[in-house]
Amino acid sequence: MRRVVFVALLVLILTPLVSAWEVPERGVIYQVMVDRFYDGNPSNNEPLYDLAHSNYRLYWGGDLEGLIEKLDYIKSLGVSMIWVSPLNDNINALAYGGAPYHGYWTRDYKRIEEHFGNWDDFRRLVKEAKKRGICVIVDYVPNHSNPVNDGEYGALYDNGTFVTDYFKDAGKAKMNPITGIREDIYHHNGNIFTWSGIPLKYANLYGLADFNQLNPWVDSYLTEGAMLFADSGACGFRVDAVKHMGLGWLETFYLRLYSKGPLFIYGEYFTPSFQMGDDLYEFYRYSNVSPVLSIPIREDIVRTFAFFGGLDKLSEELEDYYSHFVYPTKAVNFLDSHDLVRFLNAGDRKDEIQRFHMALALTLTLPGIPVVYYGDESYLVSKDGKGDPYNRPMMVFDNTTEAARIIRTLARLRKTNDALAFGDFKTLTASYETWAFERSFGNHSLLVVMNKGPAVNLTFSIDWPDGNYRDALYGGEMAVSGGKASVYLPRNSVYVFHIEEEQKTPLIGSITPYTAQPGQEIIIGGAGFGERGEVIIGGKEAKVLSWEDGKIVVEVPKLERSAAWVNVTVVSGGRRSPPRPLRYYSGNDVPALIAVNASLVGDVSGTLWLSGSIPELAEPRPLLKSSTGYYFTVAPLPEGLPFSVRFYEGKAWGALRPLNMTLYGVGNRTVILTAKPPEMQEGQKAGRKNVALYTLTGVLVAALVVMWKRKR
Ligand code: NOJ
Ligand code: CA
Ligand code: CA
């Protein structure tokens, strides 16, 4: 008996707390603004509190205890992840007339905001959510702390100990000779005044103290803060304002978090439309390192359903958007959010509820992981205004609505229909008012048909077996005969048809995370994996940690590679899956500022790019030009590893023209590229010297011992 208890305890201790709860594509996320959800503990409401809930810029009482109380409600919607607004300790004063009830004005990344609770409450939330099959994703804000000109003036604490504020830091700041920016803990480069180039990432976003993530203290501090959530059982992060941080730092930050387990991390890159000149275009054209919120397509969806616009145009915009992603099904789609006007507050149509249902069903069936913003299920809107902060009214709980039924039905279907979770995206027919798109994955298919105009009998070609099909939402019917589908669609209707046949061949639908380093756990989601088999990554067999028919967990092996992407294949029952890509990093990466003296490069047309001989640098990266005469970029680099780089010029959306130049460097926090391969590094030299010294000492000691023995 004792032994059994001991073994059970050991298993419990060894079972990591951290893991993406399930394959993320199988789930739906429910987004909660904690202060506005439910007040489970009135004793933590003061100060900066408005009991009447009339001042939208003060605390209204919601907290972690309230969220825990409402977990059964959340579960009733069929969702499997909760994204909570930032929980870290925020400033204790008003700034610009508002309190940080939203959580985006952090002062201490190691503590929980006292209006929301404490670490025990967070751990209890994770535990209680887990009992209900739900995991918790934390909104984390590593770009900036809090306002520099009001409130607490960028005050920063390390688990209660004061570190600095923006003015003290300004006194200590020095100019970085490479970037030309004054910096210490923060950047001191004014406010973002142009939304591109250096200011985009190295200046204050709306007056918020902008972190210098390359300062090693800041780097560890922000990483440790996020680790506390991971260690307390968070299954992922929504990372705020990724547009304003160096991609290279983010990559290193994510890799460190992933070393805790296969977390689901997605970034917020705020851009209402996907422009070619956008930094996001560069971010995605080559790197594709993390999923992002689908902000650009959200705008298209709302315009089309709440105002005007053709479904044919929308389908083209969506296809274009998805074409930028290595894994389109990892896009995080949403209809409403705390930053945008809620759909039901946006337009002014008589049929807005039906249109809302259509847009909601679309969000839940597009490639990607859907987010439901709190209150979407209960048609929550504010009577007092539209955008921020009026898109954050106090929650009204009602899970008996048509919207709640749509969410629940499609969340359930996502668990059983592989095409809804992992399928591709193909429009079969589209006009201004009607649209049919299909998603397929192996032997599973999904067909979404809609009509926002007068009732119509829609016919179109489809490669489905003959028969009558019944829609999952309303029981609508579709007849298929000889490759022609025919379906009657009332005004403002949306139907979802589906097929699930047995999946015999292994097929990979998702890898979480799809950026990884050796030794890291990844979850492979898909179908037809059978009871056991092998997973091959970059030609090497990976260690299997668990195996189910639709989900495998493996450890990424160490590879001798210089490519950025490597193939992952599942072999089961003598059948091989088609390969899917994994973005491979060598491991032990540090965030490095890589620079080249502009005089070495000469004139450049467009942007200067580099790519290099190690996986971290294998995809081209754009460089910025500083006022101090350097081109620079931030990239993860394995410490001590020598590498070479080549250069290109051009625009992100065109072909890159190679320049005839190769330079060299060795992985470190700052690397100035040189024309000659570097001499052996100091550390390596010292290492060699030590080895020589130890060998010499050893030989001398041995000689002395021999002489001494002979004398005796
Ligand atoms: C984006 C967040 O979603 C928004 O609510 C916040 O104010 C800004 N980032 C700044 O943190
Ligand atoms: Ca409270
Ligand atoms: Ca920044």
Side-chain angles (χ1 to χ4, degrees), residues 142-144 187 192 198-205 209-213 241 243-246:
N143 176 61
H144 50 258
H187 294 131
I192 299 178
I198 291 180
L200 188 70
K201 296 180 191 295
Y202 296 86
N204 297 335
L205 172 68
D210 196 59
F211 278 120
N212 170 18
Q213 289 89 359
K243 182 176 187 170
H244 306 287
M245 292 175 275

Side-chain angles (χ1 to χ4, degrees), residues 414-429:
R414 185 170 277 270
K415 297 222 185 293
T416 51
N417 185 284
D418 301 340
L420 181 47
F422 311 121
D424 58 1
F425 178 62
K426 193 169 122 203
T427 287
L428 301 184
T429 179

Side-chain angles (χ1 to χ4, degrees), residues 38-45 49 60-63 115-116:
Y38 192 64
D39 186 358
N41 177 5
S43 77
N44 59 18
N45 293 355
Y49 171 62
W60 284 6
D63 48 33
H115 284 89
F116 302 150

Side-chain angles (χ1 to χ4, degrees), residues 79-279:
V79 304
S80 41
M81 294 166 268
I82 304 176
W83 152 18
V84 287
S85 52
L87 295 174
N88 278 131
D89 186 23
N90 269 231
I91 57 169
N92 296 328
L94 295 178
Y96 317 129
Y101 70 91
H102 42 70
Y104 291 99
W105 294 347
T106 317
R107 76 206 279 270
D108 197 333
Y109 286 76
K110 305 261 179 87
R111 291 204 169 168
I112 299 283
E113 167 57 42
E114 60 277 7
H115 284 89
F116 302 150
N118 55 35
W119 282 109
D120 282 342
D121 295 325
F122 179 74
R123 282 187 281 268
R124 202 155 62 81
L125 169 69
V126 168
K127 197 169 140 214
E128 290 300 319
K130 194 165 184 176
K131 278 189 201 158
R132 293 161 176 84
I134 295 173
C135 79
V136 180
I137 294 173
V138 175
D139 202 324
Y140 196 68
V141 193
N143 176 61
H144 50 258
S145 61
N146 53 77
V148 300
N149 286 320
D150 203 356
E152 295 195 18
Y153 304 94
L156 191 66
Y157 293 78
D158 185 359
N159 199 13
T161 304
F162 179 78
V163 178
T164 194
D165 63 29
Y166 202 67
F167 294 104
K168 289 206 169 63
D169 195 58
K172 288 172 69 188
K174 294 204 172 56
M175 193 184 77
N176 182 316
I178 291 170
T179 61
I181 289 155
R182 284 184 65 74
E183 63 187 27
D184 190 40
I185 299 258
Y186 294 122
H187 294 131
H188 296 270
N189 193 26
N191 272 343
I192 299 178
F193 61 93
T194 173
W195 296 85
S196 62
I198 291 180
L200 188 70
K201 296 180 191 295
Y202 296 86
N204 297 335
L205 172 68
Y206 303 124
L208 297 162
D210 196 59
F211 278 120
N212 170 18
Q213 289 89 359
L214 292 188
N215 171 322
W217 183 86
V218 176
D219 178 29
S220 323
Y221 171 74
L222 292 172
T223 307
E224 284 162 16
M227 294 281 198
L228 290 175
F229 285 109
D231 287 338
S232 301
C235 66
F237 292 90
R238 178 268 192 191
V239 181
D240 190 60
V242 295
K243 182 176 187 170
H244 306 287
M245 292 175 275
L247 175 61
W249 180 75
L250 284 169
E251 289 170 89
T252 322
F253 174 64
Y254 294 166
L255 286 173
R256 291 190 191 127
L257 290 173
Y258 292 145
S259 71
K260 294 266 163 186
L263 297 163
F264 176 44
I265 304 182
Y266 54 96
E268 178 242 5
Y269 190 106
F270 196 89
T271 183
S273 62
F274 201 51
Q275 308 280 347
M276 282 203 293
D278 216 328
D279 178 56

Side-chain angles (χ1 to χ4, degrees), residues 307-592:
F307 297 97
F308 49 83
L311 292 170
D312 43 2
K313 178 146 182 279
L314 179 64
S315 95
E316 280 166 23
E317 281 160 345
L318 294 174
E319 281 194 12
D320 175 61
Y321 181 73
Y322 286 123
S323 71
H324 298 289
F325 300 92
V326 171
Y327 281 101
T329 48
K330 275 263 185 327
V332 182
N333 302 327
F334 65 98
L335 187 55
D336 282 338
S337 86
H338 62 299
D339 287 329
L340 300 163
V341 177
R342 283 181 182 257
F343 183 102
L344 289 172
N345 245 355
D348 190 18
R349 309 177 58 91
K350 283 206 195 78
D351 60 354
E352 67 181 9
I353 292 282
Q354 289 97 312
R355 288 295 183 85
F356 176 66
H357 290 153
M358 292 179 81
L360 188 63
L362 177 65
T363 311
L364 287 154
T365 49
L366 281 174
I369 298 147
V371 179
V372 172
Y373 186 40
Y374 81 96
D376 269 355
E377 74 279 20
S378 58
Y379 311 113
L380 183 67
V381 286
S382 165
K383 290 178 209 72
D384 306 311
K386 287 179 181 271
D388 171 4
Y390 304 105
N391 48 11
R392 306 155 180 191
M394 204 66 198
M395 174 62 176
V396 171
F397 293 90
D398 186 356
N399 57 5
T400 64
T401 62
E402 178 66 8
R405 198 183 64 78
I406 293 173
I407 296 165
R408 204 177 291 124
T409 307
L410 294 175
R412 199 182 308 127
L413 187 59
R414 185 170 277 270
K415 297 222 185 293
T416 51
N417 185 284
D418 301 340
L420 181 47
F422 311 121
D424 58 1
F425 178 62
K426 193 169 122 203
T427 287
L428 301 184
T429 179
S431 68
Y432 191 90
E433 286 164 341
T434 58
W435 185 19
F437 69 84
E438 187 187 5
R439 302 191 52 206
S440 316
F441 186 81
N443 291 334
H444 287 207
S445 303
L446 187 91
L447 178 74
V448 180
V449 199
M450 64 180 76
N451 171 29
K452 65 174 188 142
V456 62
N457 199 48
L458 191 69
T459 54
F460 52 93
S461 302
I462 191 170
D463 191 15
W464 279 24
D466 286 1
N468 291 324
Y469 295 85
R470 190 168 283 279
D471 133 70
L473 288 175
Y474 302 96
E477 287 182 0
M478 175 177 74
V480 174
S481 169
K484 280 267 175 262
S486 165
V487 53
Y488 172 77
L489 294 166
R491 178 185 278 280
N492 288 336
S493 58
V494 52
Y495 290 162
V496 179
F497 300 99
H498 54 106
I499 298 178
E500 293 89 21
E501 294 291 337
E502 198 190 346
Q503 307 266 24
K504 289 198 180 119
T505 307
L507 262 187
I508 300 175
S510 109
I511 300 181
T512 309
Y514 62 82
T515 56
Q517 59 204 331
Q520 193 185 300
E521 283 179 29
I522 53 171
I523 302 176
I524 301 172
F529 297 154
E531 281 174 13
R532 69 182 75 86
E534 283 170 14
V535 173
I536 312 295
I537 301 183
K540 256 196 183 174
E541 190 176 340
K543 183 174 163 199
V544 173
L545 302 172
S546 71
W547 193 290
E548 293 165 39
D549 189 49
K551 177 183 161 194
I552 307 167
V553 182
V554 292
E555 195 177 292
V556 175
K558 181 143 189 64
L559 305 171
E560 296 309 323
R561 281 299 169 117
S562 58
W565 296 90
V566 298
N567 281 335
V568 179
T569 313
V570 173
V571 187
S572 171
R575 298 184 162 116
R576 291 176 83 83
S577 74
R580 296 301 306 269
L582 172 77
R583 179 79 152 86
Y584 180 78
Y585 291 81
S586 321
N588 296 323
D589 289 281
V590 291

